Tab-separated table of all heavy atoms in Angstrom:
chain	number	residue	atom	x	y	z
A	143	ASP	N	13.676	-0.233	3.765
A	143	ASP	CA	14.713	0.784	3.927
A	143	ASP	C	14.548	1.565	5.222
A	143	ASP	O	15.507	2.144	5.729
A	143	ASP	CB	14.671	1.789	2.767
A	143	ASP	CG	15.197	1.191	1.476
A	143	ASP	OD1	16.279	0.593	1.508
A	143	ASP	OD2	14.527	1.328	0.438
A	144	TYR	N	13.299	1.624	5.704
A	144	TYR	CA	13.003	2.344	6.935
A	144	TYR	C	12.551	1.357	7.995
A	144	TYR	O	12.013	0.290	7.687
A	144	TYR	CB	11.905	3.403	6.693
A	144	TYR	CG	12.379	4.551	5.841
A	144	TYR	CD1	12.276	4.503	4.458
A	144	TYR	CD2	12.944	5.681	6.423
A	144	TYR	CE1	12.717	5.547	3.667
A	144	TYR	CE2	13.391	6.741	5.644
A	144	TYR	CZ	13.273	6.669	4.265
A	144	TYR	OH	13.722	7.708	3.487
A	145	GLY	N	12.773	1.726	9.246
A	145	GLY	CA	12.385	0.844	10.334
A	145	GLY	C	12.085	1.630	11.593
A	145	GLY	O	12.145	2.861	11.621
A	146	ILE	N	11.775	0.890	12.639
A	146	ILE	CA	11.421	1.485	13.925
A	146	ILE	C	12.458	1.067	14.956
A	146	ILE	O	12.686	-0.121	15.177
A	146	ILE	CB	10.020	1.025	14.378
A	146	ILE	CG1	8.972	1.344	13.314
A	146	ILE	CG2	9.651	1.682	15.715
A	146	ILE	CD1	7.634	0.660	13.544
A	147	ASN	N	13.111	2.055	15.555
A	147	ASN	CA	13.997	1.827	16.682
A	147	ASN	C	13.288	2.257	17.964
A	147	ASN	O	12.190	2.835	17.912
A	147	ASN	CB	15.308	2.603	16.504
A	147	ASN	CG	16.161	2.039	15.374
A	147	ASN	OD1	16.422	0.844	15.327
A	147	ASN	ND2	16.588	2.903	14.457
A	148	ASP	N	13.881	1.997	19.097
A	148	ASP	CA	13.239	2.345	20.361
A	148	ASP	C	12.891	3.827	20.441
A	148	ASP	O	11.856	4.204	20.990
A	148	ASP	CB	14.150	1.973	21.534
A	148	ASP	CG	14.195	0.468	21.777
A	148	ASP	OD1	13.256	-0.234	21.345
A	148	ASP	OD2	15.168	-0.011	22.376
A	149	SER	N	13.754	4.675	19.872
A	149	SER	CA	13.509	6.118	19.925
A	149	SER	C	12.278	6.537	19.130
A	149	SER	O	11.683	7.585	19.390
A	149	SER	CB	14.729	6.880	19.411
A	149	SER	OG	15.026	6.503	18.071
A	150	GLY	N	11.894	5.718	18.138
A	150	GLY	CA	10.734	6.056	17.311
A	150	GLY	C	9.493	5.248	17.615
A	150	GLY	O	8.462	5.408	16.954
A	151	LEU	N	9.572	4.367	18.600
A	151	LEU	CA	8.422	3.531	18.945
A	151	LEU	C	7.351	4.358	19.639
A	151	LEU	O	7.635	5.097	20.587
A	151	LEU	CB	8.863	2.384	19.857
A	151	LEU	CG	7.768	1.416	20.329
A	151	LEU	CD1	7.206	0.628	19.160
A	151	LEU	CD2	8.320	0.484	21.410
A	152	SER	N	6.115	4.229	19.183
A	152	SER	CA	5.005	4.890	19.873
A	152	SER	C	4.938	4.407	21.312
A	152	SER	O	5.064	3.204	21.572
A	152	SER	CB	3.677	4.564	19.178
A	152	SER	OG	2.580	4.852	20.022
A	153	PRO	N	4.713	5.316	22.275
A	153	PRO	CA	4.625	4.895	23.676
A	153	PRO	C	3.435	3.982	23.962
A	153	PRO	O	3.377	3.367	25.021
A	153	PRO	CB	4.506	6.222	24.438
A	153	PRO	CG	4.018	7.211	23.432
A	153	PRO	CD	4.604	6.777	22.129
A	154	GLU	N	2.523	3.881	22.989
A	154	GLU	CA	1.350	3.025	23.192
A	154	GLU	C	1.628	1.560	22.888
A	154	GLU	O	0.798	0.697	23.185
A	154	GLU	CB	0.180	3.515	22.340
A	154	GLU	CG	-0.335	4.885	22.750
A	154	GLU	CD	-1.730	5.144	22.233
A	154	GLU	OE1	-2.543	4.200	22.225
A	154	GLU	OE2	-1.996	6.294	21.841
A	155	PHE	N	2.796	1.276	22.277
A	155	PHE	CA	3.073	-0.092	21.836
A	155	PHE	C	4.116	-0.798	22.682
A	155	PHE	O	4.931	-0.176	23.357
A	155	PHE	CB	3.505	-0.096	20.366
A	155	PHE	CG	2.349	-0.015	19.420
A	155	PHE	CD1	1.853	1.218	19.037
A	155	PHE	CD2	1.735	-1.155	18.948
A	155	PHE	CE1	0.761	1.308	18.181
A	155	PHE	CE2	0.646	-1.084	18.096
A	155	PHE	CZ	0.157	0.148	17.714
A	156	ARG	N	4.068	-2.115	22.614
A	156	ARG	CA	5.058	-2.977	23.232
A	156	ARG	C	5.753	-3.773	22.131
A	156	ARG	O	5.160	-4.069	21.099
A	156	ARG	CB	4.409	-3.945	24.237
A	156	ARG	CG	3.579	-3.259	25.306
A	156	ARG	CD	4.426	-2.472	26.289
A	156	ARG	NE	3.587	-1.840	27.305
A	156	ARG	CZ	3.088	-0.621	27.208
A	156	ARG	NH1	3.307	0.106	26.125
A	156	ARG	NH2	2.338	-0.113	28.177
A	157	VAL	N	7.004	-4.135	22.371
A	157	VAL	CA	7.795	-4.876	21.380
A	157	VAL	C	7.752	-6.368	21.694
A	157	VAL	O	7.888	-6.760	22.850
A	157	VAL	CB	9.261	-4.384	21.396
A	157	VAL	CG1	10.117	-5.218	20.440
A	157	VAL	CG2	9.326	-2.909	21.036
A	158	PHE	N	7.581	-7.188	20.644
A	158	PHE	CA	7.675	-8.636	20.883
A	158	PHE	C	8.782	-9.302	20.068
A	158	PHE	O	9.101	-10.467	20.302
A	158	PHE	CB	6.336	-9.346	20.668
A	158	PHE	CG	5.848	-9.446	19.248
A	158	PHE	CD1	6.357	-10.385	18.373
A	158	PHE	CD2	4.816	-8.620	18.804
A	158	PHE	CE1	5.884	-10.498	17.075
A	158	PHE	CE2	4.327	-8.726	17.509
A	158	PHE	CZ	4.867	-9.657	16.645
A	159	ALA	N	9.395	-8.561	19.128
A	159	ALA	CA	10.481	-9.168	18.337
A	159	ALA	C	11.432	-8.092	17.840
A	159	ALA	O	11.005	-6.972	17.512
A	159	ALA	CB	9.910	-9.949	17.157
A	160	ARG	N	12.727	-8.447	17.776
A	160	ARG	CA	13.760	-7.523	17.297
A	160	ARG	C	14.774	-8.256	16.430
A	160	ARG	O	15.035	-9.433	16.638
A	160	ARG	CB	14.562	-6.923	18.454
A	160	ARG	CG	13.845	-6.108	19.432
A	160	ARG	CD	14.794	-5.608	20.521
A	160	ARG	NE	14.071	-4.831	21.504
A	160	ARG	CZ	13.830	-3.543	21.384
A	160	ARG	NH1	14.282	-2.896	20.330
A	160	ARG	NH2	13.138	-2.894	22.294
A	161	ALA	N	15.387	-7.494	15.517
A	161	ALA	CA	16.556	-7.988	14.788
A	161	ALA	C	17.778	-7.823	15.682
A	161	ALA	O	17.735	-7.114	16.697
A	161	ALA	CB	16.727	-7.211	13.487
A	162	SER	N	18.890	-8.441	15.297
A	162	SER	CA	20.096	-8.393	16.122
A	162	SER	C	20.669	-6.987	16.246
A	162	SER	O	21.392	-6.687	17.195
A	162	SER	CB	21.159	-9.338	15.551
A	162	SER	OG	21.450	-9.000	14.202
A	163	ASP	N	20.341	-6.086	15.294
A	163	ASP	CA	20.821	-4.706	15.378
A	163	ASP	C	19.888	-3.802	16.174
A	163	ASP	O	20.086	-2.588	16.236
A	163	ASP	CB	21.049	-4.122	13.984
A	163	ASP	CG	19.778	-4.097	13.126
A	163	ASP	OD1	18.703	-4.502	13.631
A	163	ASP	OD2	19.862	-3.688	11.954
A	164	GLY	N	18.866	-4.393	16.778
A	164	GLY	CA	17.942	-3.628	17.613
A	164	GLY	C	16.707	-3.121	16.912
A	164	GLY	O	15.773	-2.618	17.566
A	165	VAL	N	16.665	-3.202	15.567
A	165	VAL	CA	15.483	-2.747	14.836
A	165	VAL	C	14.279	-3.595	15.240
A	165	VAL	O	14.360	-4.825	15.330
A	165	VAL	CB	15.714	-2.831	13.312
A	165	VAL	CG1	14.416	-2.530	12.550
A	165	VAL	CG2	16.810	-1.866	12.890
A	166	ILE	N	13.172	-2.927	15.491
A	166	ILE	CA	11.963	-3.617	15.963
A	166	ILE	C	11.324	-4.375	14.802
A	166	ILE	O	11.060	-3.813	13.738
A	166	ILE	CB	10.987	-2.607	16.581
A	166	ILE	CG1	11.605	-2.008	17.852
A	166	ILE	CG2	9.644	-3.272	16.893
A	166	ILE	CD1	10.889	-0.798	18.390
A	167	GLU	N	11.051	-5.661	15.021
A	167	GLU	CA	10.476	-6.524	13.988
A	167	GLU	C	9.037	-6.938	14.297
A	167	GLU	O	8.349	-7.465	13.435
A	167	GLU	CB	11.338	-7.770	13.823
A	167	GLU	CG	12.728	-7.495	13.267
A	167	GLU	CD	12.730	-7.289	11.763
A	167	GLU	OE1	11.860	-7.852	11.073
A	167	GLU	OE2	13.613	-6.568	11.271
A	168	GLY	N	8.600	-6.723	15.513
A	168	GLY	CA	7.227	-7.063	15.886
A	168	GLY	C	6.770	-6.193	17.037
A	168	GLY	O	7.512	-5.966	17.992
A	169	LEU	N	5.542	-5.667	16.941
A	169	LEU	CA	4.995	-4.839	18.010
A	169	LEU	C	3.504	-5.126	18.173
A	169	LEU	O	2.853	-5.656	17.276
A	169	LEU	CB	5.250	-3.350	17.731
A	169	LEU	CG	4.842	-2.735	16.386
A	169	LEU	CD1	3.333	-2.536	16.267
A	169	LEU	CD2	5.543	-1.393	16.178
A	170	TYR	N	2.960	-4.766	19.331
A	170	TYR	CA	1.530	-4.982	19.582
A	170	TYR	C	1.004	-3.902	20.510
A	170	TYR	O	1.756	-3.270	21.260
A	170	TYR	CB	1.278	-6.362	20.187
A	170	TYR	CG	1.771	-6.527	21.612
A	170	TYR	CD1	0.907	-6.363	22.708
A	170	TYR	CD2	3.101	-6.842	21.875
A	170	TYR	CE1	1.367	-6.507	24.013
A	170	TYR	CE2	3.569	-6.993	23.168
A	170	TYR	CZ	2.693	-6.815	24.230
A	170	TYR	OH	3.161	-6.945	25.519
A	171	HIS	N	-0.293	-3.689	20.434
A	171	HIS	CA	-0.970	-2.718	21.297
A	171	HIS	C	-1.609	-3.471	22.457
A	171	HIS	O	-2.365	-4.422	22.235
A	171	HIS	CB	-2.040	-1.955	20.515
A	171	HIS	CG	-2.456	-0.672	21.156
A	171	HIS	ND1	-3.173	-0.645	22.334
A	171	HIS	CD2	-2.225	0.624	20.804
A	171	HIS	CE1	-3.403	0.620	22.669
A	171	HIS	NE2	-2.829	1.411	21.773
Side-chain angles (χ1 to χ4, degrees):
D143 287 311
Y144 290 89
I146 304 167
N147 291 309
D148 286 338
S149 59
L151 179 66
S152 163
E154 294 199 38
F155 279 88
R156 305 290 180 269
V157 176
F158 70 78
R160 298 179 182 274
S162 57
D163 60 2
V165 173
I166 294 167
E167 294 281 331
L169 52 74
Y170 70 97
H171 199 291

